[in-house]
Amino acid sequence: MTVPPPKDLSELAPSGTLSNVEFSVEGDVKTAKIKNPIKDERSLKPTVDDLTVSEPVTVDKIAEKLEIYGGAIVKNHLSEEIVDKMWDDISPHFKKRTWNGDFFPQETLRVTATVCKSKTVAEDFMCNPLFMELCARFIGKKNTFVIGDELTTAYSEPQHCSSTLLSIGPGAKDQPYHRDDIIHHNICQYREKYEYGHETAIACAIAHNKATKANGATRFVPGSHLWDHQRVPKPEEAVYAEIEKGDAFFMLASCFHGGSANTTKDEWRNMSFMFMTQGLLRQEINIFLETPLEYFQSLSVQALKSIGVAVSQPFCGWYRDLEDPLKVMKPESSNGSDDIENAFKLVV
């Protein structure tokens, strides 16, 4: 039996963006033109002080900054002891560049899947209570569903999407502006003000040393989380998230950003990133192929849930015969109930 070559089925997929683009090719030059761009000239230029959350820091205060700017700075988010322990755990994993392309400059070193290389990253960075509350607000999903003659409620908890330590070395060029939610095909819509329910991921970046405009501080475009999907950011619209060791920069994945050029002679910008996504979406990094089972078993129940070793309610992510992988790995986490929070008889 002869097996025919696979078909290109991509043309069958619906698209909400391709119809608004005109492509052309002349020799080796490929161009794309947005046919009907939305007129939007809004541009914000907050200072570092504008982005910084005042004491005492609360989830409400961080959320307010994110709603307006798409980014927020929290001073002393993690102690120096925790930040140093993360560095000690992760830095031995630095190795020569193994990726192709120019998305990351040649001078940038990185360690991926840090959540599986450091329990400190998993327990103290990813599971930081303030960060967890923020993730629940922006990317947690809770809904009701009809099953038979009952109405049930279910909560899909945010999960790890990717975790990376990036070290930008002298001579590195600007990283291209991008939105991190493109991995989930999130199509941003023009909005006058922020609306909850559309975000697919949120990030927290922790500085291991002082991050400055000169050594590669993350530059991002404030307000771009409210832009149309196809608006192109301009360099002059960006601001630099200059922070000290232990400070955090929180950012919505719908916000344009990129690492900056390192124009120093001998400084490295060292920063750990933690991206969390909706529990019902695919994770950016497949951490399960490279991580020993024993490592997962050594983590707390909450860390396992945040990593994604648990069912996303109501029925996503089962193991074997409808078993919750969390209860298989941590039997003590089972309370004997099923995984639907509540069921109510429907009155029609």
Side-chain angles (χ1 to χ4, degrees), residues 20-24 31-36:
N20 196 37
V21 182
E22 184 179 276
F23 297 100
S24 62
T31 60
K33 180 181 179 181
I34 308 300
K35 291 188 288 188
N36 297 297

Side-chain angles (χ1 to χ4, degrees), residues 230 299 327:
Q230 293 173 326
L299 298 176
K327 295 176 182 178

